[in-house]
Amino acid sequence: MEVYIPSFRHEDSDLERGYTVFKIEVLMNGRKHFVEKRYSEFHALHKKLKKCIKTPEIPSKHVRNWVPKVLEQRRQGLETYLQAVILENEELPKLFLDFLNVRHLPSLPKAESCGKLSHQPVLLFLGDPYVLPAASAYFELEKQGMKISQVPVPSSCQSGENRMMTGQEEPGAQWKGKGVL
């Protein structure tokens, strides 16, 4: 994961004195997204992180003037802070990932996080394994000369036309009286 703070902007507010918003660029697994945070949100994150991990220094909360040069120094300091948290911690806390709007991924062993991938079994269904195909699929296979054992097709999987083709007056009629239903 890589983070940068490429820019900031000043916001005016009717309810409070103006404030600065920092634009955070997050690069993870080849994808990029942006998050905007105020300094007060960085400060709150820092206070929470100090309780669970070793944290680097955060730029001072108090800024004497709001000139662009001073704000640029704060931007650089916050960027360095985020990068240091990532570099100094093998596993990043959930609250840090939440701050950056990053999905929580299961932690990977260090070897895998360095680019070496291990093979994990993958289960993929091309269709819903719990839904039977429509009756028309059975008829199509029979036309091609394939033998298919009789499988009752629920009415929810049949269109009206297919129900007429199977000759079923009601679903499960062929099983009535055989102790199955």
Side-chain angles (χ1 to χ4, degrees):
M1 175 189 313
E2 297 176 42
V3 293
Y4 305 97
I5 302 178
S7 63
F8 59 88
R9 71 176 192 282
H10 186 76
E11 288 284 320
D12 290 317
S13 172
D14 294 336
L15 302 175
E16 59 183 319
R17 198 172 59 174
Y19 55 89
T20 303
V21 177
F22 296 90
K23 185 176 186 177
I24 305 167
E25 178 181 326
V26 181
L27 296 155
M28 186 166 173
N29 297 329
R31 295 184 181 189
K32 178 184 355 180
H33 72 271
F34 294 93
V35 182
E36 293 189 337
K37 301 287 183 179
R38 294 173 60 169
Y39 178 85
S40 59
E41 294 172 284
F42 279 93
H43 188 63
L45 171 71
H46 178 70
K47 285 172 57 176
K48 291 175 187 173
L49 284 177
K50 281 188 348 184
K51 295 176 183 175
C52 61
I53 62 170
K54 182 182 174 193
T55 58
E57 290 294 317
I58 190 165
S60 173
K61 185 174 183 174
H62 302 288
V63 177
R64 293 190 183 161
N65 58 21
W66 298 99
V67 296
K69 183 178 178 183
V70 173
L71 291 175
E72 175 58 22
Q73 289 173 341
R74 180 176 263 192
R75 182 204 64 76
Q76 290 174 358
L78 292 173
E79 181 177 86
T80 302
Y81 174 81
L82 293 176
Q83 291 171 349
V85 169
I86 292 168
L87 287 173
E88 293 175 11
N89 295 282
E90 192 170 319
E91 287 187 34
L92 297 171
K94 178 182 180 306
L95 64 106
F96 184 77
L97 296 174
D98 287 343
F99 180 82
L100 297 174
N101 289 348
V102 172
R103 276 194 198 148
H104 309 293
L105 302 172
S107 60
L108 298 172
K110 195 151 186 119
E112 291 181 4
S113 64
C114 294
K116 296 178 183 177
L117 299 175
S118 65
H119 295 284
Q120 299 291 326
V122 175
L123 183 59
L124 173 69
F125 292 108
L126 296 177
D128 189 339
Y130 301 106
V131 175
L132 294 173
S136 61
Y138 293 110
F139 289 114
E140 189 60 39
L141 291 172
E142 285 177 359
K143 285 180 193 174
Q144 295 174 10
M146 297 180 180
K147 297 281 184 195
I148 301 170
S149 59
Q150 275 303 105
V151 177
V153 178
S155 61
S156 62
C157 294
Q158 296 180 5
S159 66
E161 178 184 318
N162 289 338
R163 259 193 302 280
M164 289 189 295
M165 290 171 64
T166 62
Q168 281 184 265
E169 295 301 318
E170 61 180 287
Q174 72 273 26
W175 300 107
K176 282 201 176 167
K178 297 189 177 160
V180 177
L181 287 179

